[in-house]
Amino acid sequence: MVELSGVSFGYQSDKNVLDNLNLRMEEGRFYGLLGMNGSGKTTLLKLIAGKLFAHGGEIYVDGRNLRERDVETLQKVFMLPADFIFPNMSLEQFLAIYSEFYPEFRKEVLNDCLVNFEIQRDIKNLNQLSLGEKHKVAFSIALSLGTKIVLLDEAANGMDIPARKMFRKLLMKHVREDQIVVLSTHIVQDIENLLTDVIVLRKDAPVYAASLEEIASRYSFGIQSNEEGVLYAEACTEGYHVITHKQENMDTEVSLELLFNALIKGGGRI
Ligand code: ADP
């Protein structure tokens, strides 16, 4: 379990990016970390990965405070940064270094990911791959390291549409029940049907965190001809896409995009 208790962080002393953040993430859950550009998604992932230190508050991984920086705890967390850079080395050399630090590394998972992405296993220089290939290989490595906590920062961004589909399939196939996955994105469609929970970072408003079950039990999503009784509405060709309080006769799927828009610009009714 990951717990953030009253976490604050700012790059400048007079301006916090994250302020008094409380969150709890549990095993077997997929968290979608959403927010506009600059809302603090990468910062939050870096804090959980132990790459940045909270200025206030504490972060616990399985009950251990990250400030202690004990190796066993750091080995449980892997963050794939959005701007990762591969060194000039072969995949084998790279794996020799990484698999040493991450004892749960599984070669079979890596091989399966690479086969599905149609990438040759024998990579002589990781740095000479195309941008799209680099993203596929980096993601494949991130999955195969087998860490309890997998933090993926905009990981599907550099991928084309078929690769994004494969990205989702491979996550569903290889993530274990005891893992926690956090995927940050500003493209909500990338992660729909994959998530169990959403975390939305908002400027000047508290973080919104809820499971999809909770959201579905509280709200209905649908189309209406008018804006009567809605919590949030967006005009569309058929009338309005709306979010309302739960209506038993309206059984619709959660629209993450609509929820996200409601949270970002919806006037605080959700
Ligand atoms: P997101 O991932 O949601 O786009 P970030 O966590 O990258 O947001 O950034 C949050 C805020 O912190 C932004 O305003 C960004 O400009 C600022 N920021 C990020 N990294 C640094 C840094 N190394 N130094 C100073 N400011 C930074």
Side-chain angles (χ1 to χ4, degrees):
M1 190 197 292
V2 178
E3 272 182 287
L4 288 89
S5 168
V7 169
S8 299
F9 181 87
Y11 294 94
Q12 290 141 17
S13 55
D14 58 338
K15 199 170 132 218
N16 273 353
V17 174
L18 301 172
D19 208 21
N20 193 21
L21 185 68
N22 296 298
L23 275 178
R24 175 194 273 245
M25 299 175 193
E26 289 175 14
E27 286 76 21
R29 314 287 301 177
F30 264 97
Y31 294 85
L33 176 58
L34 311 176
M36 307 286 274
N37 283 333
S39 58
K41 301 183 293 297
T42 302
T43 304
L44 174 57
L45 295 181
K46 284 183 177 170
L47 285 162
I48 299 171
K51 294 178 186 214
L52 293 174
F53 285 100
H55 296 167
E58 306 298 335
I59 303 175
Y60 300 93
V61 172
D62 287 345
R64 296 296 292 266
N65 194 321
L66 267 186
R67 288 187 198 280
E68 292 171 22
R69 302 198 70 72
D70 65 296
V71 174
E72 211 181 296
T73 306
L74 293 174
Q75 278 174 329
K76 289 184 180 178
V77 190
F78 179 76
M79 173 181 177
L80 176 59
D83 56 356
F84 70 90
I85 298 171
F86 274 135
N88 275 312
M89 59 170 71
S90 70
L91 177 59
E92 280 313 314
Q93 288 169 318
F94 190 79
L95 290 177
I97 299 166
Y98 269 71
S99 57
E100 183 119 330
F101 190 71
Y102 297 105
E104 295 296 322
F105 169 69
R106 295 287 172 268
K107 212 176 233 176
E108 313 80 72
V109 175
L110 178 71
N111 291 345
D112 184 62
C113 291
L114 294 179
V115 166
N116 278 293
F117 279 132
E118 298 180 4
I119 289 187
Q120 296 293 324
R121 179 74 163 72
D122 182 25
I123 301 169
K124 300 269 186 311
N125 187 340
L126 288 163
N127 212 12
Q128 285 174 0
L129 294 168
S130 74
L131 192 64
E133 287 169 337
K134 278 183 187 158
H135 280 277
K136 290 173 190 170
V137 173
F139 167 68
S140 303
I141 294 172
L143 261 192
S144 63
L145 292 178
T147 51
K148 176 154 186 188
I149 297 144
V150 186
L151 308 172
L152 302 170
D153 195 9
E154 303 275 1
N157 251 13
M159 297 185 192
D160 56 21
I161 291 170
R164 279 167 192 239
K165 218 169 151 187
M166 185 51 69
F167 167 85
R168 289 192 289 269
K169 260 193 183 165
L170 291 170
L171 277 169
M172 280 192 252
K173 183 171 175 186
H174 290 300
V175 171
R176 304 183 314 258
E177 271 292 293
D178 64 335
Q179 285 181 297
I180 299 171
V181 181
V182 188
L183 291 157
S184 87
T185 186
H186 61 273
I187 308 170
V188 176
Q189 295 90 329
D190 262 356
I191 47 173
E192 224 149 8
N193 307 326
L194 199 61
L195 302 184
T196 60
D197 297 73
V198 283
I199 298 168
V200 183
L201 296 180
R202 302 180 283 181
K203 279 185 186 153
D204 308 318
V207 63
Y208 178 89
S211 70
L212 289 194
E213 294 100 309
E214 282 172 71
I215 296 166
S217 72
R218 256 185 250 153
Y219 306 114
S220 289
F221 296 74
I223 292 178
Q224 258 179 224
S225 57
N226 54 46
E227 295 182 77
E228 253 169 58
V230 304
L231 294 169
Y232 180 73
E234 273 179 19
C236 64
T237 44
E238 302 98 318
Y240 295 92
H241 283 301
V242 300
I243 306 179
T244 65
H245 285 297
K246 185 72 186 168
Q247 300 176 41
E248 289 314 324
N249 57 351
M250 199 158 131
D251 188 19
T252 53
E253 264 182 45
V254 172
S255 160
L256 275 188
E257 193 173 353
L258 204 60
L259 178 77
F260 178 70
N261 291 345
L263 286 166
I264 297 293
K265 54 188 180 194
R269 277 186 284 177
I270 288 186

